[in-house]
Amino acid sequence: MEKFTTHTGVGVPLRRSNVDTDQIIPAVYLKRVTRDGFEDGLFSAWRNDPSFVLNNEAYAAGSVLVAGPDFGTGSSREHAVWALQNYGFKAVISPRFADIFRGNSGKSGLVAAQVDEKVVQRLWDHLEQNPGATVTVDLESRTVRAGEGVDAIEDSFDIDDYTRWRLLEGLDDIGITLGNEADIASYELTRPSWKPATIHAG
Amino acid sequence: MGRTLSEKVWDEHVVRSKPGEPDLLFIDLHLIHEVTSPQAFEGLRMAGRTVRRPDLTLATEDHNVPTVDWDKPIADPVSRTQVETLRRNAEEFGVRLHPLGDIEQGIVHVVGPQLGLTQPGMTIVCGDSHTSTHGAFGAIAFGIGTSEVEHVLATQTLMQAKPKTMSVTINGSLPAGVTAKDMVLTLIAHTGTGGGQGYIVEYRGQAIEELSMEARMTVCNMSIEWGAKAGLIAPDQTTFDYIEGRPEAPKGADWDAAVAHWKSLVTDEDAEFDAEIVLDASTMTPFVTWGTNPGQGVPLGSAVPHPEEFEDAQDKVAAEKALQYMALEAGTPMREIKVDTVFVGSCTNGRIEDLRLAAAIIKGHKVDQDTRLLVVPGSVRVRLQAEQEGLDVVFKEAGAEWRGAGCSMCLGMNPDTLEPGERSASTSNRNFEGRQGKGGRTHLVSVPVAAATAIRGTLSSPADLSPVEPVETTN
Ligand code: SF4
């Protein structure tokens, strides 16, 4: 995984709450067996609507998505994260993320930055008044920034310490866990014999 | 201080715990299907890793498989590739697979319990958010993404921060004709879709204890629809009776040892939850959704709400958008809503009890001439059992389509989908925009409501049906 320290890119105001993973990428697009190429399914139903934010030239090259609360609810499909990344998004800002989506983001290197609802409102207003304006997501200082001068927006965001550390270092979870293989092996020795198995010896 | 059920199960699975780090949890059972696993196996292959515990892993095909002509090659080439990829991966990595055509094939969350693999006190994961279903047995069960699938394949563990605990106590008894589905839809409308965020929830109270095992699965299945990490129910005699004698259940002395342990899996008297919700089952009624998330629901006897009724500004906007998408007028009585398709099936309501209930209501009636009824058993075993009991005949005589096992119209991924603008009453778990097919409009309902709706063509409960004429016999 690539290291993530800070990113500045065009902010996309998505004025919606409860953006579920079926909206981020509908099931028909989940049939690929690779991790790439999912950008064509991103928000596919909404992209038919000419007034949808990503159909506006100014936001089309966006890399920081600013969404309402309960972003990523629904299915566990990591394809939702891949679709956002394949499109070019590096970070999503929302007042509240669904658990599985947030977990998947952390594993794939997409920053899910949780901010106060008021910050999202201010970012939406700023990005709509200044189409194409950028937003900075600074993982080191855990801050989001946008705008300049008196109207500048700057606030902290939440992300758990462990995920932040892994993203900053670009570390792969499986490698870390296999470093503790001995713990797993000794745990396995203590499991009761009556626990079920799917394959039986002999 | 005492511990809650979920804390006991959690603690039993901690392989390694360090301050400032998530716990490393051992996983007792890893379920796999064709859609969320290909990239995980590919990751293993690229890193030269193996599956650590194939004996704790089970794969089946469910999401994108057709429910007709399942003995023929899958017509859609991309779906076929996905299924073939799973078969190749299972073979290469030594994973047990129940493919299309196998007697144990079916929806992953129907197959696990049916085989007796789902047992109390386990940790169970799957690359599917409705893994919460297995919590009905007193297991910690939750959905994971593909990177985590790869992590479990490689290590049989997962790194997880310990969630907070919540109790949902449902007192009283459900009135006749009101089901577990109505109960959970009522709960979600009460909490909103984010209400369970960050919690493992324990469902308890008289109404929960009175539910059958299959009805408990319906409740736990929808835990994710209000954002909970997992939902579980303390195991009791109902649980033990359901498991005993199943193919993978413990036998002999193992059974006794297992039950002795399972009986300890209850929340201690003096344990404290981080949050509590209390509801009364005796006031519940058939409950249906009008909007585009499972929290947007009302009693069947009421009307489509006005967006102004919502206090929260976001909820107001969400309601407006939902009404627009659903093409519904605020104030319309729910019972006047006409549906085109009724879907009975899915991991929420596709088990044998669901089909028995549907058949009992439909028997002697005909499906409305403008409505299509699709009955899709959750697994091949459920299908065979239903056929043994003659339920398929009841459905077919009423004019319903009797299908093969799979996820079917629960998600728009296989040939069973809604047409744009089509409206369904569905016993599944999600009414998101386009969930059952692009432009499709979904009302989530219980099995009795689905059955009655199929007959009348508008959202209905069995109480709305005219009595069946006694069949005349010739001798
Ligand atoms: S039936 Fe629906 S919810 Fe259940 S596993 Fe299949 S797609 Fe997921």
Side-chain angles (χ1 to χ4, degrees):
Chain A
M1 201 163 69
E2 268 178 49
K3 290 186 186 187
F4 187 113
T5 44
T6 181
H7 171 78
T8 301
V10 170
V12 178
L14 184 64
R15 265 195 201 263
R16 282 209 174 227
S17 58
N18 264 305
V19 176
D20 58 69
T21 48
D22 278 83
Q23 304 320 312
I24 301 175
I25 183 164
V28 283
Y29 290 95
L30 307 184
K31 295 181 182 177
R32 268 191 212 94
V33 295
T34 57
R35 281 181 183 241
D36 46 33
F38 290 103
E39 66 276 11
D40 58 347
L42 182 69
F43 299 127
S44 86
W46 295 342
R47 273 157 87 181
N48 292 330
D49 172 1
S51 68
F52 180 60
V53 61
L54 285 182
N55 290 331
N56 180 333
E57 272 302 311
Y59 301 112
S63 61
V64 179
L65 187 67
V66 185
D70 295 318
F71 188 85
T73 52
S75 147
S76 64
R77 58 187 71 155
E78 195 161 317
H79 313 66
V81 173
W82 302 335
L84 286 161
Q85 289 181 312
N86 293 164
Y87 183 90
F89 284 104
K90 304 283 185 224
V92 183
I93 298 172
S94 162
R96 194 164 59 218
F97 291 96
D99 272 330
I100 303 179
F101 179 87
R102 196 185 29 214
N104 287 342
S105 299
K107 308 287 176 201
S108 289
L110 179 75
V111 172
Q114 185 167 322
V115 300
D116 195 84
E117 204 154 338
K118 290 194 202 81
V119 178
V120 165
Q121 287 290 353
R122 290 182 63 203
L123 286 170
W124 280 345
D125 293 344
H126 173 73
L127 294 172
E128 282 170 0
Q129 281 154 22
N130 307 282
T134 61
V135 176
T136 297
V137 177
D138 185 337
L139 187 59
E140 241 164 4
S141 63
R142 273 188 239 232
T143 48
V144 294
R145 289 188 295 274
E148 279 173 7
V150 282
D151 294 332
I153 302 163
E154 172 155 2
D155 214 291
S156 63
F157 68 82
D158 283 340
I159 188 165
D160 73 86
D161 292 341
Y162 188 76
T163 302
R164 173 175 170 269
W165 168 72
R166 276 187 37 256
L167 290 169
L168 285 172
E169 301 292 327
L171 289 174
D172 152 31
D173 257 354
I174 298 179
I176 300 174
T177 300
L178 287 176
N180 298 314
E181 202 273 334
D183 292 338
I184 303 174
S186 60
Y187 179 91
E188 284 173 327
L189 291 174
T190 67
R191 288 183 84 233
S193 62
W194 46 260
K195 288 258 183 179
T198 57
I199 298 172
H200 307 279
Chain B
M1 201 179 71
R3 290 179 301 161
T4 63
L5 163 60
S6 67
E7 288 166 324
K8 289 183 184 179
V9 179
W10 186 280
D11 292 348
E12 271 178 24
H13 290 85
V14 174
V15 169
R16 181 188 147 89
S17 181
K18 275 193 74 185
E21 283 181 23
D23 287 346
L24 189 64
L25 279 192
F26 192 80
I27 301 303
D28 287 320
L29 179 64
H30 185 194
L31 301 166
I32 283 176
H33 62 85
E34 73 278 14
V35 178
T36 54
S37 67
Q39 295 86 353
F41 281 110
E42 185 58 25
L44 288 188
R45 209 174 279 120
M46 272 159 35
R49 291 171 176 145
T50 55
V51 175
R52 182 179 180 90
R53 298 294 300 265
D55 62 326
L56 303 184
T57 312
L58 183 80
T60 182
E61 298 166 1
D62 55 4
H63 279 64
N64 75 23
V65 299
T67 57
V68 288
D69 295 337
W70 55 84
D71 47 344
K72 305 208 177 80
I74 299 177
D76 172 17
V78 214
S79 292
R80 195 167 62 227
T81 306
Q82 219 167 34
V83 164
E84 282 166 359
T85 305
L86 178 66
R87 292 178 189 174
R88 239 194 354 264
N89 286 331
E91 164 101 46
E92 179 182 338
F93 290 94
V95 169
R96 172 170 159 191
L97 167 70
H98 294 299
L100 209 54
D102 185 277
I103 191 162
E104 300 297 351
Q105 178 261 337
I107 305 173
V108 65
H109 311 309
V110 177
V111 169
Q114 185 176 279
L115 284 169
L117 279 170
T118 301
Q119 297 174 16
M122 292 173 70
T123 45
I124 301 176
V125 297
C126 172
D128 185 279
S129 59
H130 293 97
T131 308
S132 59
T133 311
H134 307 263
F137 292 79
I140 291 183
F142 53 90
I144 56 179
T146 299
S147 294
E148 290 175 312
V149 170
E150 186 179 338
H151 192 280
V152 179
L153 287 173
T155 70
Q156 202 57 35
T157 64
L158 261 187
M159 291 199 206
Q160 289 288 315
K162 198 170 180 174
K164 291 177 287 183
T165 60
M166 188 194 290
S167 75
V168 171
T169 306
I170 307 188
N171 294 316
S173 292
L174 281 174
V178 184
T179 66
K181 182 66 164 290
D182 303 303
M183 184 192 271
V184 70
L185 285 173
T186 305
L187 168 68
I188 301 168
H190 175 83
T191 61
T193 52
Q197 182 76 57
Y199 291 98
I200 294 189
V201 177
E202 181 179 340
Y203 301 99
R204 50 210 315 242
Q206 187 188 342
I208 296 289
E209 287 162 24
E210 288 174 0
L211 294 178
S212 72
M213 215 47 231
E214 297 197 355
R216 291 180 189 184
M217 286 189 243
T218 302
V219 173
C220 288
N221 174 274
M222 294 197 66
S223 303
I224 185 70
E225 305 309 335
W226 57 293
K229 172 83 182 173
L232 76 179
I233 294 171
D236 59 11
Q237 198 56 44
T238 304
T239 322
F240 310 148
D241 291 346
Y242 182 94
I243 298 170
E244 192 169 12
R246 292 193 179 261
E248 304 295 350
K251 313 255 169 350
D254 274 351
W255 172 258
D256 298 335
V259 173
H261 180 66
W262 296 344
K263 286 188 170 160
S264 73
L265 297 176
V266 289
T267 292
D268 295 327
E269 293 271 340
D270 56 343
E272 279 178 24
F273 291 92
D274 296 309
E276 301 195 28
I277 292 177
V278 180
L279 293 177
D280 178 6
S282 65
T283 60
M284 292 181 185
T285 63
F287 210 84
V288 296
T289 62
W290 51 268
T292 54
N293 72 55
Q296 292 175 320
V298 288
L300 174 66
S302 66
V304 177
H306 281 274
E308 296 80 63
E309 289 169 28
F310 297 93
E311 276 169 30
D312 184 86
Q314 298 270 8
D315 288 349
K316 236 178 254 191
V317 178
E320 274 164 19
K321 287 194 163 137
L323 290 187
Q324 198 182 10
Y325 180 84
M326 293 293 289
L328 287 175
E329 193 84 33
T332 310
M334 294 305 293
R335 277 195 159 84
E336 285 179 12
I337 297 173
K338 240 185 119 342
V339 310
D340 308 298
T341 293
V342 175
F343 170 58
V344 174
S346 88
C347 60
T348 316
N349 283 124
R351 286 172 288 267
I352 190 68
E353 283 179 12
D354 299 307
L355 301 192
R356 283 181 191 141
L357 188 54
I361 294 162
I362 287 169
K363 197 175 171 70
H365 289 280
K366 288 270 181 251
V367 173
D368 175 75
Q369 54 177 9
D370 297 326
T371 308
R372 158 165 91 129
L373 170 60
L374 220 67
V375 185
V376 187
S379 71
V380 175
R381 289 269 182 207
V382 170
R383 179 165 61 83
L384 296 178
Q385 172 83 32
E387 288 176 358
Q388 232 168 41
E389 297 178 16
L391 308 184
D392 60 320
V393 179
V394 174
F395 294 129
K396 283 187 261 185
E397 280 182 351
E401 294 174 37
W402 174 245
R403 295 298 191 86
C407 294
S408 182
M409 202 180 269
C410 177
L411 88 172
M413 183 156 198
N414 54 67
D416 304 339
T417 54
L418 294 179
E419 294 295 317
E422 227 189 312
R423 186 180 298 281
S424 79
S426 176
T427 66
S428 57
N429 44 45
R430 283 189 179 137
N431 51 344
F432 297 153
E433 289 182 20
R435 167 77 178 181
Q436 296 188 293
K438 196 168 181 177
R441 301 175 174 133
T442 305
H443 295 274
L444 299 179
V445 300
S446 69
V447 169
V449 170
T453 301
I455 297 161
R456 283 171 47 92
T458 51
L459 289 179
S460 306
S461 77
D464 302 325
L465 299 176
S466 39
V468 179
E469 304 269 323
V471 182
E472 286 196 27
T473 48
T474 44
N475 52 351

mmCIF file of all heavy atoms in Angstrom, chain B residues 113-136:
data_model
loop_
_atom_site.group_PDB
_atom_site.id
_atom_site.type_symbol
_atom_site.label_atom_id
_atom_site.label_comp_id
_atom_site.label_asym_id
_atom_site.label_seq_id
_atom_site.Cartn_x
_atom_site.Cartn_y
_atom_site.Cartn_z
ATOM 1 N N PRO B 113 -26.132 -22.295 8.982
ATOM 2 C CA PRO B 113 -26.988 -22.813 10.049
ATOM 3 C C PRO B 113 -27.569 -24.183 9.710
ATOM 4 O O PRO B 113 -27.669 -25.058 10.560
ATOM 5 C CB PRO B 113 -28.113 -21.768 10.141
ATOM 6 C CG PRO B 113 -27.510 -20.511 9.630
ATOM 7 C CD PRO B 113 -26.552 -20.947 8.552
ATOM 8 N N GLN B 114 -27.935 -24.358 8.445
ATOM 9 C CA GLN B 114 -28.570 -25.596 8.023
ATOM 10 C C GLN B 114 -27.636 -26.792 8.193
ATOM 11 O O GLN B 114 -28.051 -27.875 8.567
ATOM 12 C CB GLN B 114 -28.918 -25.383 6.565
ATOM 13 C CG GLN B 114 -29.669 -26.419 5.871
ATOM 14 C CD GLN B 114 -29.963 -25.884 4.470
ATOM 15 O OE1 GLN B 114 -30.892 -25.111 4.257
ATOM 16 N NE2 GLN B 114 -29.135 -26.253 3.518
ATOM 17 N N LEU B 115 -26.345 -26.590 7.931
ATOM 18 C CA LEU B 115 -25.367 -27.669 8.089
ATOM 19 C C LEU B 115 -25.014 -27.896 9.556
ATOM 20 O O LEU B 115 -24.323 -28.852 9.886
ATOM 21 C CB LEU B 115 -24.087 -27.336 7.313
ATOM 22 C CG LEU B 115 -24.137 -27.493 5.794
ATOM 23 C CD1 LEU B 115 -22.895 -26.881 5.164
ATOM 24 C CD2 LEU B 115 -24.242 -28.966 5.419
ATOM 25 N N GLY B 116 -25.438 -26.990 10.420
ATOM 26 C CA GLY B 116 -25.041 -27.096 11.818
ATOM 27 C C GLY B 116 -23.649 -26.529 12.064
ATOM 28 O O GLY B 116 -23.067 -26.709 13.131
ATOM 29 N N LEU B 117 -23.108 -25.812 11.087
ATOM 30 C CA LEU B 117 -21.780 -25.198 11.260
ATOM 31 C C LEU B 117 -21.862 -23.954 12.127
ATOM 32 O O LEU B 117 -20.891 -23.553 12.753
ATOM 33 C CB LEU B 117 -21.192 -24.809 9.900
ATOM 34 C CG LEU B 117 -20.536 -25.932 9.104
ATOM 35 C CD1 LEU B 117 -20.230 -25.461 7.690
ATOM 36 C CD2 LEU B 117 -19.263 -26.421 9.792
ATOM 37 N N THR B 118 -23.017 -23.304 12.128
ATOM 38 C CA THR B 118 -23.213 -22.105 12.937
ATOM 39 C C THR B 118 -23.625 -22.546 14.335
ATOM 40 O O THR B 118 -24.655 -23.184 14.508
ATOM 41 C CB THR B 118 -24.313 -21.233 12.318
ATOM 42 O OG1 THR B 118 -23.920 -20.882 10.990
ATOM 43 C CG2 THR B 118 -24.545 -19.978 13.133
ATOM 44 N N GLN B 119 -22.788 -22.233 15.317
ATOM 45 C CA GLN B 119 -23.033 -22.674 16.693
ATOM 46 C C GLN B 119 -22.796 -21.518 17.672
ATOM 47 O O GLN B 119 -22.116 -20.557 17.327
ATOM 48 C CB GLN B 119 -22.111 -23.860 17.018
ATOM 49 C CG GLN B 119 -22.383 -25.092 16.159
ATOM 50 C CD GLN B 119 -21.378 -26.219 16.371
ATOM 51 O OE1 GLN B 119 -20.641 -26.224 17.361
ATOM 52 N NE2 GLN B 119 -21.346 -27.157 15.437
ATOM 53 N N PRO B 120 -23.324 -21.645 18.877
ATOM 54 C CA PRO B 120 -23.150 -20.572 19.856
ATOM 55 C C PRO B 120 -21.673 -20.313 20.173
ATOM 56 O O PRO B 120 -20.831 -21.209 20.070
ATOM 57 C CB PRO B 120 -23.865 -21.116 21.098
ATOM 58 C CG PRO B 120 -24.878 -22.075 20.569
ATOM 59 C CD PRO B 120 -24.224 -22.705 19.367
ATOM 60 N N GLY B 121 -21.388 -19.078 20.535
ATOM 61 C CA GLY B 121 -20.051 -18.739 21.025
ATOM 62 C C GLY B 121 -18.972 -18.674 19.976
ATOM 63 O O GLY B 121 -17.792 -18.550 20.293
ATOM 64 N N MET B 122 -19.347 -18.746 18.698
ATOM 65 C CA MET B 122 -18.323 -18.713 17.647
ATOM 66 C C MET B 122 -18.084 -17.290 17.162
ATOM 67 O O MET B 122 -18.877 -16.389 17.387
ATOM 68 C CB MET B 122 -18.779 -19.554 16.445
ATOM 69 C CG MET B 122 -18.842 -21.045 16.721
ATOM 70 S SD MET B 122 -19.581 -21.958 15.341
ATOM 71 C CE MET B 122 -18.300 -21.825 14.081
ATOM 72 N N THR B 123 -16.967 -17.120 16.458
ATOM 73 C CA THR B 123 -16.769 -15.921 15.649
ATOM 74 C C THR B 123 -16.912 -16.366 14.196
ATOM 75 O O THR B 123 -16.272 -17.317 13.762
ATOM 76 C CB THR B 123 -15.373 -15.311 15.856
ATOM 77 O OG1 THR B 123 -14.416 -16.365 15.819
ATOM 78 C CG2 THR B 123 -15.275 -14.580 17.187
ATOM 79 N N ILE B 124 -17.790 -15.679 13.467
ATOM 80 C CA ILE B 124 -18.085 -16.063 12.086
ATOM 81 C C ILE B 124 -18.005 -14.811 11.217
ATOM 82 O O ILE B 124 -18.580 -13.776 11.562
ATOM 83 C CB ILE B 124 -19.501 -16.675 11.981
ATOM 84 C CG1 ILE B 124 -19.594 -17.909 12.890
ATOM 85 C CG2 ILE B 124 -19.840 -17.031 10.533
ATOM 86 C CD1 ILE B 124 -20.977 -18.544 12.957
ATOM 87 N N VAL B 125 -17.277 -14.892 10.132
ATOM 88 C CA VAL B 125 -17.202 -13.750 9.222
ATOM 89 C C VAL B 125 -17.446 -14.211 7.789
ATOM 90 O O VAL B 125 -17.299 -15.394 7.468
ATOM 91 C CB VAL B 125 -15.842 -13.010 9.292
ATOM 92 C CG1 VAL B 125 -15.608 -12.420 10.675
ATOM 93 C CG2 VAL B 125 -14.694 -13.925 8.879
ATOM 94 N N CYS B 126 -17.793 -13.243 6.954
ATOM 95 C CA CYS B 126 -18.022 -13.523 5.535
ATOM 96 C C CYS B 126 -17.980 -12.185 4.809
ATOM 97 O O CYS B 126 -18.339 -11.158 5.388
ATOM 98 C CB CYS B 126 -19.399 -14.178 5.356
ATOM 99 S SG CYS B 126 -19.916 -14.386 3.633
ATOM 100 N N GLY B 127 -17.540 -12.200 3.585
ATOM 101 C CA GLY B 127 -17.539 -10.974 2.794
ATOM 102 C C GLY B 127 -18.938 -10.633 2.352
ATOM 103 O O GLY B 127 -19.253 -10.604 1.169
ATOM 104 N N ASP B 128 -19.798 -10.416 3.332
ATOM 105 C CA ASP B 128 -21.198 -10.105 3.072
ATOM 106 C C ASP B 128 -21.780 -9.515 4.339
ATOM 107 O O ASP B 128 -21.636 -10.088 5.420
ATOM 108 C CB ASP B 128 -21.966 -11.381 2.700
ATOM 109 C CG ASP B 128 -23.395 -11.050 2.321
ATOM 110 O OD1 ASP B 128 -24.225 -10.883 3.223
ATOM 111 O OD2 ASP B 128 -23.662 -10.921 1.117
ATOM 112 N N SER B 129 -22.445 -8.382 4.219
ATOM 113 C CA SER B 129 -22.840 -7.650 5.424
ATOM 114 C C SER B 129 -23.921 -8.359 6.238
ATOM 115 O O SER B 129 -24.076 -8.102 7.420
ATOM 116 C CB SER B 129 -23.306 -6.247 5.050
ATOM 117 O OG SER B 129 -24.392 -6.320 4.162
ATOM 118 N N HIS B 130 -24.667 -9.283 5.612
ATOM 119 C CA HIS B 130 -25.726 -9.956 6.374
ATOM 120 C C HIS B 130 -25.240 -11.182 7.134
ATOM 121 O O HIS B 130 -26.032 -12.003 7.587
ATOM 122 C CB HIS B 130 -26.911 -10.277 5.463
ATOM 123 C CG HIS B 130 -27.571 -9.013 5.010
ATOM 124 N ND1 HIS B 130 -27.304 -8.434 3.806
ATOM 125 C CD2 HIS B 130 -28.409 -8.174 5.662
ATOM 126 C CE1 HIS B 130 -27.971 -7.292 3.715
ATOM 127 N NE2 HIS B 130 -28.647 -7.103 4.825
ATOM 128 N N THR B 131 -23.933 -11.270 7.296
ATOM 129 C CA THR B 131 -23.341 -12.308 8.147
ATOM 130 C C THR B 131 -23.895 -12.199 9.563
ATOM 131 O O THR B 131 -23.884 -13.169 10.326
ATOM 132 C CB THR B 131 -21.810 -12.150 8.139
ATOM 133 O OG1 THR B 131 -21.384 -12.098 6.780
ATOM 134 C CG2 THR B 131 -21.116 -13.301 8.823
ATOM 135 N N SER B 132 -24.384 -11.036 9.915
ATOM 136 C CA SER B 132 -25.002 -10.832 11.228
ATOM 137 C C SER B 132 -26.109 -11.847 11.516
ATOM 138 O O SER B 132 -26.433 -12.090 12.678
ATOM 139 C CB SER B 132 -25.555 -9.404 11.330
ATOM 140 O OG SER B 132 -26.505 -9.169 10.315
ATOM 141 N N THR B 133 -26.654 -12.459 10.476
ATOM 142 C CA THR B 133 -27.684 -13.504 10.618
ATOM 143 C C THR B 133 -27.292 -14.560 11.661
ATOM 144 O O THR B 133 -28.108 -14.994 12.476
ATOM 145 C CB THR B 133 -27.880 -14.235 9.261
ATOM 146 O OG1 THR B 133 -28.031 -13.263 8.241
ATOM 147 C CG2 THR B 133 -29.074 -15.169 9.298
ATOM 148 N N HIS B 134 -26.029 -14.985 11.601
ATOM 149 C CA HIS B 134 -25.565 -16.097 12.441
ATOM 150 C C HIS B 134 -25.541 -15.738 13.931
ATOM 151 O O HIS B 134 -25.390 -16.612 14.778
ATOM 152 C CB HIS B 134 -24.174 -16.553 11.987
ATOM 153 C CG HIS B 134 -24.109 -16.875 10.512
ATOM 154 N ND1 HIS B 134 -24.216 -18.146 10.018
ATOM 155 C CD2 HIS B 134 -24.002 -16.062 9.423
ATOM 156 C CE1 HIS B 134 -24.156 -18.105 8.691
ATOM 157 N NE2 HIS B 134 -24.023 -16.856 8.305
ATOM 158 N N GLY B 135 -25.664 -14.453 14.230
ATOM 159 C CA GLY B 135 -25.725 -14.011 15.619
ATOM 160 C C GLY B 135 -26.917 -14.595 16.364
ATOM 161 O O GLY B 135 -26.934 -14.649 17.593
ATOM 162 N N ALA B 136 -27.923 -15.051 15.629
ATOM 163 C CA ALA B 136 -29.119 -15.640 16.229
ATOM 164 C C ALA B 136 -28.774 -16.815 17.139
ATOM 165 O O ALA B 136 -29.535 -17.177 18.018
ATOM 166 C CB ALA B 136 -30.077 -16.090 15.134
#
